[in-house]
Amino acid sequence: MPSKTERHRRTFARTEVNYHVAIAGGGNVVGFASGGPTRQVDFPQENEVYAIYILEAYQGRKIGVTLFRRVIGDLEESGRKGLILLALANNPNRGFYENLGGRQVIAKPLALGSAMADQCAYLWDDITGLSRNS
């Protein structure tokens, strides 16, 4: 299995993927978000937010909202309308996606090594203007 660093390098290399990074005053990376064309064949949404991650010490400062808006702004330029974002069902920060207007539906479980984890999908049918209104 590739390391997280290797996965991120592969993601950076894909021209259709958008990646945004939040940097604190000292130049340290405190969060990131990425998105692009969907990888989810079971849903009709054409865009996907692949990841949003903010260091715990920086959560609650609107950094996640800003990163989400930046990724959505890039995706809006593609002309594709719908959006999906997958989250683990036990993620304590899932309310963040609901506050951004995502409609929750059940998604297939995710294989994590030999274990299975429940997932939720958050859907937006039309992201037009979402980069400004979230």
Side-chain angles (χ1 to χ4, degrees):
M1 176 177 273
S3 73
K4 288 181 184 180
T5 302
E6 291 170 21
R7 282 197 315 262
H8 286 291
R9 281 189 181 132
R10 281 198 316 260
T11 300
F12 272 129
R14 294 177 45 209
T15 58
E16 71 277 11
V17 173
N18 304 294
Y19 223 106
H20 292 273
V21 176
I23 300 174
N28 296 321
V29 173
V30 298
F32 70 90
S34 63
T38 189
R39 305 167 296 180
Q40 309 306 320
V41 297
D42 294 334
F43 294 91
Q45 286 70 21
E46 308 97 337
N47 296 296
E48 182 177 355
V49 170
Y50 304 140
I52 296 179
Y53 179 79
I54 311 298
L55 290 175
E56 188 172 354
Y58 290 86
Q59 293 175 6
R61 300 182 188 191
K62 303 289 183 191
I63 295 169
V65 172
T66 299
L67 289 171
F68 179 82
R69 285 179 176 169
R70 297 258 171 99
V71 169
I72 297 306
D74 292 340
L75 295 175
E76 283 177 317
E77 292 178 14
S78 75
R80 299 182 304 263
K81 299 287 186 198
L83 175 71
I84 184 169
L85 183 151
L86 294 175
L88 294 175
N90 65 355
N91 181 338
N93 299 311
R94 285 187 9 228
F96 173 79
Y97 309 121
E98 295 166 14
N99 290 337
L100 293 169
R103 181 177 79 252
Q104 180 184 339
V105 299
I106 295 172
K108 287 181 182 178
L110 174 67
L112 296 171
S114 61
M116 298 300 284
D118 291 330
Q119 291 189 105
C120 296
Y122 289 90
L123 309 176
W124 290 259
D125 294 324
D126 188 347
I127 61 170
T128 305
L130 187 58
S131 65
R132 296 176 300 282
N133 299 324
S134 52

